[in-house]
Amino acid sequence: MELTGAEIVVRALADEGVEHVFGYPGGSVLYIYDEIFKQDRFKHILVRHEQAAVHAADAYSRVSNRVGVALVTSGPGVTNAVTGIATAYMDSIPMVVLTGQVPTSAIGQDAFQEADTVGITRPCVKHNFLVKDVKDLADVIRKAFYIARTGRPGPVLVDIPKDITIARGKYTPPTGEIKMRSYSPVVKGHQGQIKKAVQLLLQAERPMIYTGGGVILSDAAPELTKLVQMLDMPCTNTLMGLGAFPADDRRFVGMPGMHGTYEANMAMQHCDVLVAIGARFDDRVIGNPKHFAQNARKIVHIDIDPSSISKRVKVDVPIVGDVKDVLVDFLAQVEASLKETRRNPEQIAGWWKQIGAWRERECLKYKSSNDVIKPQFVIEKLCEITRGEAFVTSDVGQHQMWAAQYYRFNKPRRWVNSGGLGTMGVGLPYAMGVQMMHPDADIAVITGEGSIQMNIQELSTCQQYHLSPKILCLNNRYLGMVRQWQQIDYGSRYAESYMDSLPDFVKLVEAYGHVGMRIESPRDVEGALREAFTTHKKRLVFLDIITDRTENVWPMVKAGKGLTEMLLGSEDL
């Protein structure tokens, strides 16, 4: 059938099974918006800023394993969206971002609202397309979805000039799997390498499993859990991998890295066989690579992206493939090998005894108070009241680290945060994307008074679509993580980190039509949280929680230091 380009866009999205599109209209995409208005196969969510559209689509994907979709106009619409695109790219989130462009005849003429979208976004997308002929449009959109969700996932951008949206071309519904000669990611792991890795692991005296967001992206949490429990090994999840292995299992030693637990970091450093699964040895995880390499250990690295293997740390057994597929084969070989290979029960028992000694340091213990609200206490109460079942989105800073440390994530895809790029302002639009996917779930936004103001206009979007996240603003009147670094590394010179002109958040939230609460005493925290999640379950509630402004995140590995060089508290300064 022959359709306009705008009709092709809408039909292609619907045929991909898209249910929600997050966007903001503008001149170059109005023909597309006109076609969206005429259809009922998917719903469009009008945000108040293009950055929020991409963040919401990002979170929608994180909690659903679907491809998120955002639609923005040309010029400033695109440039506003770049932060969200880069955020998704760093965390390997599958998304398709459709952008408007000036007519093809005006490209390169400095036309009104023109930007070099392909050039601007090239460093922060998995791939991008500029459509120059309406005949290519449907095929390009299908390829965009295929590229976004296969291999190492990531955002794919399709730039569509306005004249392409009114040109006419034939549309053929999709049939079969997309085939691309230039793109064919490896999915199955090499059986010989898997066998070698299994033998190393079974012979280990101090084994360690280190997992990242790749386990969650490939839906491999059941396989990971079975492997760890079968072999009774310690397991650590990175910030992006929290929930891949249940936090309440005794084998979970906490998060590793800059603000990881003492026991996780010591075990990472002193193990003799380390199996990295869907993780990338990030600088915030292993600290200084030279320090990390001081201890001899065998390293197995399982990852879909071959460029991530031996990028920062030399590995002994590389296995390229989809994490879930590799772990299925890995488990089969473990079960077969256990019949023939005798493990080292005495040494394993000694390893667990050592880990137990590290745990006795109680590195996450904090000094409670009856006078001032401790942020850790708020997260603990949130976890208790929601029974660890909530979807938790966070902004970036101290509050993010406290959420990661003190909320017990027992399921994957419940923790939504910006790990790689560290983007302030994601928390609220993330919650919007989560609720579009899970309309009846409990959703908590952990934020600070600095982060929340970066996208606070999305309170209007929440009002329009009756969204009801509970926003916990841990308000310490500082850019908290900046203040902490300034205290530790800059002689307590708090340059531009004090927020001395904050709004009355309660009044502001009420002006948007939501419920606002201010909590200033520890004894009121539990009651306020219970009221928010029960009495006001169907309303957005903003809890302005006035917390201890001097509290720091411990443990901490300073930049350039090694995993065992942790600061466990202010006494180490």
Side-chain angles (χ1 to χ4, degrees), residues 138-442:
D139 191 46
V140 163
I141 291 175
R142 287 176 199 140
K143 286 180 179 178
F145 276 85
Y146 176 70
I147 293 169
R149 65 174 172 257
T150 55
R152 179 178 178 173
V156 178
L157 183 140
V158 181
D159 198 29
I160 309 172
K162 186 171 184 177
D163 58 317
I164 300 298
T165 65
I166 55 173
R168 301 188 71 84
K170 288 185 178 180
Y171 179 76
T172 304
T175 55
E177 185 71 19
I178 293 283
K179 300 291 184 183
M180 297 176 65
R181 284 187 301 172
S182 60
Y183 175 73
S184 182
V186 174
V187 175
K188 300 292 288 184
H190 188 280
Q191 294 302 306
Q193 293 293 86
I194 293 174
K195 184 175 182 180
K196 189 184 299 183
V198 168
Q199 292 303 313
L200 271 178
L201 190 59
L202 294 183
Q203 293 165 9
E205 297 181 357
R206 303 184 306 280
M208 181 73 175
I209 302 292
Y210 150 55
T211 76
V215 175
I216 292 174
L217 290 169
S218 66
D219 286 329
E223 289 76 16
L224 171 67
T225 301
K226 182 177 179 180
L227 175 67
V228 173
Q229 293 178 345
M230 179 191 299
L231 296 180
D232 193 28
M233 297 177 296
C235 179
T236 181
N237 298 152
T238 67
L239 181 71
M240 295 304 301
L242 292 175
F245 186 78
D248 287 339
D249 191 295
R250 66 172 181 80
R251 300 168 186 85
F252 181 63
V253 294
M255 182 176 70
M258 177 175 278
H259 295 296
T261 65
Y262 183 76
E263 52 268 31
N265 284 348
M266 295 298 284
M268 284 275 287
Q269 190 70 11
H270 294 289
C271 62
D272 64 348
V273 174
L274 177 65
V275 181
I277 308 174
R280 55 191 181 91
F281 293 92
D282 180 73
D283 60 294
R284 290 296 177 97
V285 171
I286 66 162
N288 188 328
K290 290 184 179 179
H291 179 279
F292 187 73
Q294 287 176 0
N295 291 50
R297 64 174 81 73
K298 294 293 183 181
I299 299 178
V300 176
H301 193 177
I302 302 169
D303 204 286
I304 188 71
D305 181 6
S307 71
S308 291
I309 296 178
S310 290
K311 188 173 185 177
R312 299 193 74 243
V313 171
K314 187 179 184 301
V315 305
D316 300 281
V317 186
I319 303 174
V320 178
D322 179 79
V323 167
K324 190 179 186 74
D325 286 331
V326 172
L327 284 184
V328 167
D329 292 342
F330 202 99
L331 280 165
Q333 291 210 28
V334 167
E335 290 170 341
S337 298
L338 281 174
K339 299 173 184 177
E340 306 169 0
T341 304
R342 183 178 180 273
R343 298 189 71 205
N344 306 298
E346 296 84 5
Q347 288 86 348
I348 297 294
W351 179 228
W352 275 115
K353 184 177 179 180
Q354 174 62 78
I355 291 171
W358 289 328
R359 276 176 163 159
E360 289 176 2
R361 298 292 294 268
E362 296 184 304
C363 66
L364 295 182
K365 191 174 182 179
Y366 62 94
K367 188 176 182 180
S368 59
S369 172
N370 294 322
D371 302 315
V372 63
I373 299 174
K374 296 290 184 176
Q376 304 95 321
F377 172 73
V378 176
I379 305 300
E380 288 177 331
K381 280 299 174 185
L382 173 67
C383 188
E384 176 188 322
I385 288 167
T386 60
R387 304 172 304 284
E389 295 288 329
F391 288 88
V392 179
T393 76
S394 89
D395 273 302
V396 169
Q398 286 181 314
H399 53 271
Q400 176 190 25
M401 295 300 105
W402 285 316
Q405 290 175 332
Y406 293 94
Y407 199 96
R408 308 290 290 176
F409 293 98
N410 289 314
K411 297 178 181 178
R413 299 189 184 275
R414 295 298 177 102
W415 166 238
V416 185
N417 81 120
S418 170
L421 197 65
T423 306
M424 292 174 69
V426 296
L428 180 53
Y430 271 176
M432 290 161 24
V434 172
Q435 191 160 9
M436 283 299 165
M437 186 63 221
H438 299 286
D440 299 319
D442 286 336

Side-chain angles (χ1 to χ4, degrees), residues 395 428 447-456 471 473 505 542:
D395 273 302
L428 180 53
T447 187
E449 74 290 338
S451 283
I452 191 61
Q453 293 188 84
M454 290 198 169
N455 270 312
I456 201 165
I471 302 172
C473 180
F505 285 114
F542 189 108

Side-chain angles (χ1 to χ4, degrees), residues 1-5 7-8 11-12 15 41 134-135 138 142 167-174:
M1 65 188 79
E2 193 168 83
L3 304 173
T4 67
E7 290 172 324
I8 288 172
R11 184 68 65 90
D15 286 344
R41 292 181 65 181
V134 71
K135 296 194 298 291
R142 287 176 199 140
R168 301 188 71 84
K170 288 185 178 180
Y171 179 76
T172 304

